[in-house]
Amino acid sequence: MGAQVVTITSGKGGVGKTTAVANLAVALAADGARVVCIDGDIGLRNLDVVMGLENRIVYDVVDVIEGRCRLRQAMIRDKRLPELFLIPAAQTRDKSAVTPSDMVRLCNELRGEVDWVLIDSPAGIERGFKNSIAAADRVMVITNPEVSAVRDADRVIGILEAEEKGTPALILNRLNPVMVRQHDMLSAEDVLDLLAIKLIGIVPEDESVIVGTNRGNPVALDPKSRAGQAFRNIARRLSGDEVPFLDLEAGNGLWARLAKLGRK
Amino acid sequence: MTDPNSLVQIKGLRDGLLVSLGNASWDDLRAALMEQIETRQSFFRGARVAIDVGGQIFHVNELSELRDTLSERGVNLWAVVSESPTTEKTAQLLGLATRISKPRPQEMTRPPDRVREIGAGAAMWIARTLRSGTRIEFPGHIVVLGDVNPGAEVIADGSILVWGRVRGVAHAGANGDNSAVVCGLDLSAGQIRVAGATAVPSERSGEVRPEKISLKDGILQMEPWQANQS
């Protein structure tokens, strides 16, 4: 069976795309799958940093596309998981170096070799975004429970639906249940009220994420991290398992309702 | 064999090119257009292009694939002009403009790019929520079965009915018709305009109810829905 190509995008910058790609890739590989992640943010690459593979970059995705190396040479094997690879972005070029058809060709070459191709999209809705969704079988939109992030997510979902790329699934990242309870933060219900797409996971605000990204250790490898657990659950849902939503606040009826929404 | 030059005609505009497509199948037109672009690459590179497709109906896939292919050759497709409301709607949903001349804000009667006869009472029916960034324009009435999200715009020369919530912009009577109205299940958070008058959402408490907004003596009035209205 060929690979599933999944792109994670958001519209808004800084909501957690790169963190999500790194953690989902690690979680899927830890469960035994063969995974390649591709950094689509040409010129502002971060996926290599977050995965702790920055010092191992010799070739990047633009080198592959422009024929300076073979695909295999640009695939960096992860230092912890032997079936996980990264194809980094180029840092000294920009988004015009890659076209949507380049990405489609690249992913087609990978389809027979791996189980998952995860693509990290840049922020925005221009060329970099278009490149990143071109080859996708599935798209996930990630957002924060925050009005401007949700506005951008709505725009992106509209573009994906209009271009008949299917309706994406939603990852709600950096939710703080205490702030939600105090009405200082949008709840998941508020977000879903506007976006009206299927929720595939909620990742709680968790300091260990920042520590992890700085050190190049995705938190999905940390059994004690709540955010890590949330990413591991999303990876299992991606694979088709039914996983109950984390009880971020025990005894709160809201979460039971959300779990029902997620299973719709 | 059809002469490619008769299928594709190119005219210069003040700020770009207008490509007029003749009557032929999509495959023939696309091939003729791409041939023009391939043979005159330096002429087209970096150009802003509007395409006039006449009365033909094109599918989302076709327009979106064309836009992407043109973009890979450095050609920016920004507008699709069409006599068919279906093609116009498809273009608008893709974020493309459907008019070339931009009307000045003061002008309430906009000069049409082409004379279009539509029947009085003609309405565009949209059975989906309009997400942020979507702009729908129609020279008749517009009915939306769904919400109009913040950042979405519905512009009608006639009236607007939204069977949902308006949190974006709904502009009825856009060509200056003072008798147009905006009706909706929940207009409380939207920016509602009729002809030249605008109402912004105000702080409202109490339950949300279906309402009609219309112009009376030059002022926008909101009336809650009541049964047995004459």
Side-chain angles (χ1 to χ4, degrees):
Chain A
M1 190 178 88
Q4 279 202 67
V5 179
V6 181
T7 296
I8 298 184
T9 192
S10 64
K12 190 106 177 21
V15 300
K17 294 178 287 303
T18 302
T19 303
V21 169
N23 280 285
L24 290 176
V26 157
L28 288 166
D31 273 346
R34 207 165 148 85
V35 182
V36 169
C37 35
I38 304 179
D39 190 347
D41 203 344
I42 316 284
L44 289 174
R45 72 179 177 206
N46 285 309
L47 188 53
D48 55 302
V49 173
V50 162
M51 292 180 71
L53 300 173
E54 191 174 16
N55 295 329
R56 300 184 180 203
I57 299 177
V58 177
Y59 294 110
D60 57 56
V61 69
V62 176
D63 291 326
V64 177
I65 285 166
E66 295 183 344
R68 277 187 295 281
C69 71
R70 285 171 289 111
L71 181 53
R72 276 257 152 208
Q73 291 175 289
M75 286 168 61
I76 303 169
R77 190 190 296 270
D78 184 77
K79 51 195 182 190
R80 297 149 292 227
L81 294 155
E83 296 296 285
L84 171 58
F85 298 87
L86 163 69
I87 299 177
Q91 186 69 331
T92 60
R93 303 287 295 274
D94 63 39
K95 310 302 192 260
S96 62
V98 173
T99 67
S101 8
D102 291 330
M103 290 299 285
V104 170
R105 266 192 300 274
L106 179 64
C107 290
N108 283 344
E109 224 184 304
L110 287 166
R111 277 182 193 274
E113 312 283 319
V114 298
D115 301 310
W116 295 95
V117 178
L118 300 187
I119 302 178
D120 186 12
S121 165
I125 49 175
E126 295 80 29
R127 173 70 159 254
F129 161 77
K130 296 228 152 79
N131 288 342
S132 299
I133 60 170
D137 301 318
R138 297 162 74 164
V139 179
M140 294 199 288
V141 170
I142 183 166
T143 194
N144 297 156
E146 188 256 329
V147 177
S148 31
V150 172
R151 187 75 76 251
D152 286 6
D154 193 43
R155 179 81 178 97
V156 163
I157 296 167
I159 293 174
L160 291 166
E161 287 175 342
E163 304 214 355
E164 301 197 339
K165 286 257 161 212
T167 299
L170 183 71
I171 299 175
L172 184 57
N173 192 24
R174 308 189 66 173
L175 190 93
N176 182 327
V178 172
M179 285 182 71
V180 170
R181 198 172 358 107
Q182 292 168 348
H183 303 292
D184 286 333
M185 180 180 271
L186 293 180
S187 67
E189 272 188 341
D190 293 329
V191 172
L192 289 168
D193 183 54
L194 188 74
L195 299 182
I197 58 176
K198 180 174 157 165
L199 181 69
I200 193 173
I202 300 177
V203 182
E205 180 80 73
D206 184 345
E207 287 177 350
S208 63
V209 172
I210 298 180
V211 175
T213 52
N214 281 337
R215 295 195 182 146
N217 289 329
V219 290
L221 293 167
D222 176 359
K224 292 201 292 287
S225 160
R226 299 268 272 160
Q229 182 61 56
F231 281 122
R232 289 191 290 273
N233 288 354
I234 294 172
R236 285 173 57 200
R237 290 185 199 117
L238 257 185
S239 305
D241 293 344
E242 288 248 354
V243 182
F245 279 65
L246 284 177
D247 194 359
L248 296 183
E249 250 199 330
N252 190 333
L254 173 66
W255 296 101
R257 266 185 280 151
L258 281 173
K260 274 212 302 231
L261 279 168
R263 261 182 247 126
K264 236 191 326 217
Chain B
M1 162 151 162
T2 14
D3 173 14
N5 290 330
S6 70
L7 293 182
V8 175
Q9 302 211 341
I10 302 171
K11 194 175 86 170
L13 299 178
R14 189 187 58 221
D15 57 354
L17 299 172
L18 173 64
V19 174
S20 299
L21 300 180
N23 260 326
S25 73
W26 175 248
D27 288 332
D28 286 343
L29 289 171
R30 194 186 168 286
L33 176 59
M34 294 318 297
E35 192 191 319
Q36 290 275 328
I37 292 181
E38 302 290 345
T39 53
R40 299 155 78 180
Q41 279 193 27
S42 48
F43 174 73
F44 276 100
R45 186 158 282 278
R48 257 185 117 224
V49 168
I51 295 188
D52 184 343
V53 300
Q56 296 190 255
I57 297 186
F58 292 116
H59 193 257
V60 159
N61 283 347
E62 291 159 348
L63 281 181
S64 126
E65 187 271 333
L66 179 65
R67 186 185 52 187
D68 289 345
T69 307
L70 291 175
S71 164
E72 292 185 18
R73 283 158 183 73
V75 179
N76 175 24
L77 175 63
W78 69 281
V80 172
V81 175
S82 164
E83 283 163 31
S84 149
T86 308
T87 304
E88 271 199 340
K89 188 163 98 180
T90 301
Q92 285 174 357
L93 287 171
L94 282 175
L96 294 166
T98 50
R99 281 197 332 243
I100 302 178
S101 57
K102 203 165 153 36
R104 291 185 293 279
Q106 271 62 45
E107 233 173 82
M108 290 318 305
T109 322
R110 68 164 194 272
D113 288 3
R114 66 176 67 250
V115 175
R116 193 210 327 261
E117 298 292 329
I118 60 167
M124 179 185 273
W125 176 270
I126 300 169
R128 52 189 284 163
T129 287
L130 298 177
R131 294 189 179 271
S132 190
T134 308
R135 180 185 167 93
I136 302 286
E137 287 184 56
F138 189 64
H141 309 303
I142 299 179
V143 177
V144 179
L145 224 65
D147 293 340
V148 178
N149 280 358
E153 300 173 359
V154 179
I155 320 282
D157 285 352
S159 292
I160 296 174
L161 175 69
V162 177
W163 191 256
R165 284 172 295 196
V166 177
R167 290 179 281 193
V169 172
H171 187 179
N175 62 349
D177 181 359
N178 290 331
S179 68
V181 303
V182 178
C183 306
L185 295 183
D186 179 2
L187 300 179
S188 59
Q191 190 190 111
I192 311 295
R193 304 179 195 162
V194 177
T198 302
V200 291
S202 50
E203 294 300 327
R204 288 171 44 148
S205 49
E207 39 178 273
V208 161
R209 51 210 176 151
E211 278 161 345
K212 176 173 90 173
I213 291 182
S214 53
L215 263 182
K216 288 186 173 40
D217 303 321
I219 303 181
L220 286 177
Q221 314 269 19
M222 177 177 274
E223 292 163 68
W225 166 253
Q226 277 161 19
N228 304 320
Q229 261 180 3
S230 55

